[in-house]
Structures are given as structure tokens and as C-alpha cells.
Amino acid sequence: VMNKLISVIMPVYNTERYLERSIGSLNDDLIQVIAVDDGSSDNSLDVLEEISEKQKNVLVCKSDHKGASKARQIGMSHVRTKYFGFADSDDRVRLNNYLKLCRVMDDNDFKIGNGRFTAYFPNSNIPLTDRKWNKDVISFSEDKIYLANCTCSLLDKIYHADNLELLNQESNQKVYEDMEFVYYVLAKNGEMYHTNDSIYEYRMRGFENGSTSAIGMNILKSDGLKGLLSAGKSMYEKFKNAGLYEEYSEELDSIMIRLILQRIASIFNNNKIINKKEMAYHVIDILNTYLPNWQENKYYVQGFKGSSYYDYLFYIISKIDFFIYSMDKDYKTETPLDEKLKQYDKKIKVKKL
């Protein structure tokens, strides 16, 4: 590891057919790949062993099935490089851009680097690359909007090893587990370097294999919404414990508002849901309980200005749908939040195939 610049930690669970391509995208002498098999039930572990025979920068670790978060922790315990990052085992890193960002960080002593990512959605060949920013050196205390507009993903960022302690913590989250840590680590560092190069290719595989992102995005069940609210609660607690909550509360609220509104947009765009209007109102009810003053949030009022095109697109769709259905955004029942989340699964009506 002596001459390596960055370690990339990759949790692996039942992704045997993607591994060659995924790990192949990290084939460079400056990179140490730390692949952690999370108790896969397919041939992923054998495939990893084969790849590590050919690709000499791959270290394979084994674990019982404990989830991506635990696998990342195991990976972090093996980091011996100045920088580290994360990749999912069905995605690809854009190697030249990734290393370019790492070198800029190294030359200028940045502790966090952030790049754009390109998403590929199921049944669509048109990739979508997220926001371009008009700044590269970002100080969060001066430009809080950049914290609000950052993705909640660990994958489009690079971290100095000084951040290992902040990120190597237990998590009980099954979905949105990145969100619990990402904004906290950014705020603790206070600044980061951003490149408008796309450094990461994220492949959304639909709902196969119950991948965490698929569970998180699935609006036909309440698991994703429960996970989102739970990760949000954890995120707020981290900021409170670090004495950073007062400074960043508006930004954190805006992140939650945007992610919850995206779910309403997804409900309207999902052809399987019969009772779209009822379910949209149910999510509004949940949002009004979780964040009672959300409509006063300055980022919401400004239409999440400057956030990624992807988020903005969702917001526009939501606005149009609110208009079409002339939704009452103050809609709120007195039912407790936990009960509302349970009701989600009972209320939703889905077309039978």
C-alpha cells in the first residue's frame, strides 16, 4: 500500500455479474480496492477471489451478512492510504476524473472532495448527470446552500483519512444509511473541493435482489419512507450532539423536505398506484407531522434554487401535480407518526398484474 494514494471500499452482496466491470473500473496502481463480501449467497466471493488473482490492487475481505454499513466499517479498518472513498459493487468509477480529483485534494490539502455523478435508470438508456456548481472551493459556513444541495450519497465524494473516525461508526439504518453521516462529516470539515467532472456512474437496477437503494426508492411499500425518516432523525441527532444543529437546521430540513417531496412526485409518476391522490395526501400528512413548518423553509420557498437538475426536476413535477390536484399542503391528521407510517401499507392500492 506504500505507493497507493486512495483506498476504495466496496461492500459486495450478490452482485456476481457486475463485479468484473465494477472492480475493473478501479484498475490503477494508485488505488487499493477493498472488497468486502457481505455473506453473499451467490458466487460473488469466488468471483472476487478470481479477480484478485488477476487485478493485483484488490484486497478481499469476508463477513457474515450484516448489511452494507457494517461491510463499509470492515473496509475502513483496512485503510492505510491518505485518502479513501466508497463504491457500490454494481456501479462504476470514472477513473481519470476520480484520480484527478484526488490529486487536486492532495496538492491543496483538502479533506473532502466532491464530484458529479451520472445515474442510469432501469429501462432508460439516457444517463442523467447531476448539478453543475459555479464554485470549486466551498466553505459551508459562508455558503450553506452547498450543504443543502449536496447529494446524500457517500459515493460521489473522496475523504482524507482524518475522516475515518467520523465515518467508521455503527449504524442501524437499512436504507438511506449514507445520509446519516454525509452532511455531518461535511459540516465537521467545514469546507470541501468540488469538481464539475462526473466521477461516478450509479446504476439503479430496479428492485432486483432487494438492493438497499431499490428498497429506499420503492414507493409501493413504506420501508423506504420509514428508513428516510429514521436516517433523518439520526442525522439531526449527530448535528445536535456536535453543537452544529442551530447553524445548519434550515439546510437539514430542506434536505428532508426535498426527499419527501420526491416521493410524492414518484407516486404521481407510478402507473401501478391506483389511489395516487390519497397516497400523496398521506405523505403530506406525514411531512406535516415530521416537519410542521416545512412550507416556511427558505430553500423550499426558493424552489431549491441551484440544487441538482435531478432534484429540481422532481420539485417541478411535484409543483405541477400539486397544481393539478390542487392539493391542500396543510393537510394534517392527529394520528401519531408511527401509526401514519403503518397506515401507508394498508392504504396503498396497487394494480394487479
Side-chain angles (χ1 to χ4, degrees), residues 21 57 60 86 100 113 192 208 226 248 321 334:
R21 188 191 70 182
N57 69 335
V60 179
F86 301 94
K100 192 164 109 184
M192 75 176 183
E208 64 174 276
K226 280 179 190 159
Y248 291 108
D321 286 325
E334 293 311 309

Side-chain angles (χ1 to χ4, degrees), residues 5 29 48 110 139 154 156 182 213 240 252-253 291 315:
L5 181 62
D29 290 341
L48 285 174
F110 287 109
S139 158
L154 287 167
D156 53 1
V182 164
S213 62
K240 281 171 184 165
L252 301 182
D253 286 352
L291 285 174
Y315 175 69

Side-chain angles (χ1 to χ4, degrees), residues 68-95:
S69 205
K70 193 70 196 161
R72 282 176 185 155
Q73 278 193 284
I74 292 166
M76 281 187 267
S77 69
H78 290 279
V79 170
R80 303 287 180 271
T81 49
K82 188 172 178 181
Y83 298 96
F84 68 101
F86 301 94
D88 281 350
S89 57
D90 54 348
D91 294 339
R92 259 200 301 223
V93 165
R94 293 194 166 175
L95 184 64

Side-chain angles (χ1 to χ4, degrees), residues 17 19 61 68 83 85 88 114 118 142 149 176 197 206-207 220 227 262 264 342:
R17 63 192 168 121
L19 290 171
C61 309
Y83 298 96
D88 281 350
N114 184 64
T118 300
E142 290 166 28
N149 288 345
Y176 289 100
D197 293 333
F207 301 127
L220 303 179
Q262 281 182 16
I264 295 175
K342 283 181 195 156

Side-chain angles (χ1 to χ4, degrees), residues 196-290:
N196 277 327
D197 293 333
S198 174
I199 64 168
Y200 194 87
E201 289 183 13
Y202 171 73
R203 202 160 282 277
M204 183 73 188
R205 289 188 283 133
F207 301 127
E208 64 174 276
N209 288 345
S211 71
T212 54
S213 62
I215 296 163
M217 300 291 277
N218 186 359
I219 47 161
L220 303 179
K221 291 198 170 89
S222 63
D223 300 5
L225 188 53
K226 280 179 190 159
L228 170 59
L229 300 189
S230 166
K233 190 170 171 233
S234 250
M235 170 180 76
Y236 285 123
E237 276 164 15
K238 279 192 168 40
F239 273 80
K240 281 171 184 165
N241 293 340
L244 290 165
Y245 176 71
E246 292 303 322
E247 191 180 346
Y248 291 108
S249 63
E250 188 118 36
E251 287 67 39
L252 301 182
D253 286 352
S254 84
I255 290 157
M256 294 305 296
I257 295 163
R258 203 171 61 200
L259 289 167
I260 295 168
L261 286 183
Q262 281 182 16
R263 303 192 84 80
I264 295 175
S266 301
I267 286 169
F268 283 126
N269 289 329
N270 192 303
N271 296 325
K272 291 181 183 168
I273 299 171
I274 297 165
N275 56 335
K276 292 181 180 186
K277 194 173 175 184
E278 184 186 8
M279 293 314 295
Y281 265 117
H282 193 64
V283 176
I284 282 287
D285 190 11
I286 287 167
L287 178 53
N288 278 321
T289 309
Y290 191 80

Side-chain angles (χ1 to χ4, degrees), residues 5-11 26 31-35 72 75-76 79 81-88 93 98 102 105 113 154-161 164 167 199-200:
L5 181 62
I6 181 169
S7 301
V8 179
I9 298 155
M10 183 182 285
L26 290 159
I31 296 177
Q32 173 71 59
V33 180
I34 303 170
R72 282 176 185 155
M76 281 187 267
V79 170
T81 49
K82 188 172 178 181
Y83 298 96
F84 68 101
F86 301 94
D88 281 350
V93 165
Y98 198 77
C102 201
M105 291 171 68
L154 287 167
L155 306 172
D156 53 1
K157 298 168 185 70
I158 291 174
Y159 312 86
H160 188 280
L164 275 167
L167 279 165
I199 64 168
Y200 194 87

Side-chain angles (χ1 to χ4, degrees), residues 21-44:
R21 188 191 70 182
S22 200
I23 294 173
S25 75
L26 290 159
N27 194 356
D28 191 278
D29 290 341
L30 290 173
I31 296 177
Q32 173 71 59
V33 180
I34 303 170
V36 184
D37 183 72
D38 182 34
S40 293
S41 56
D42 67 356
N43 294 316
S44 290

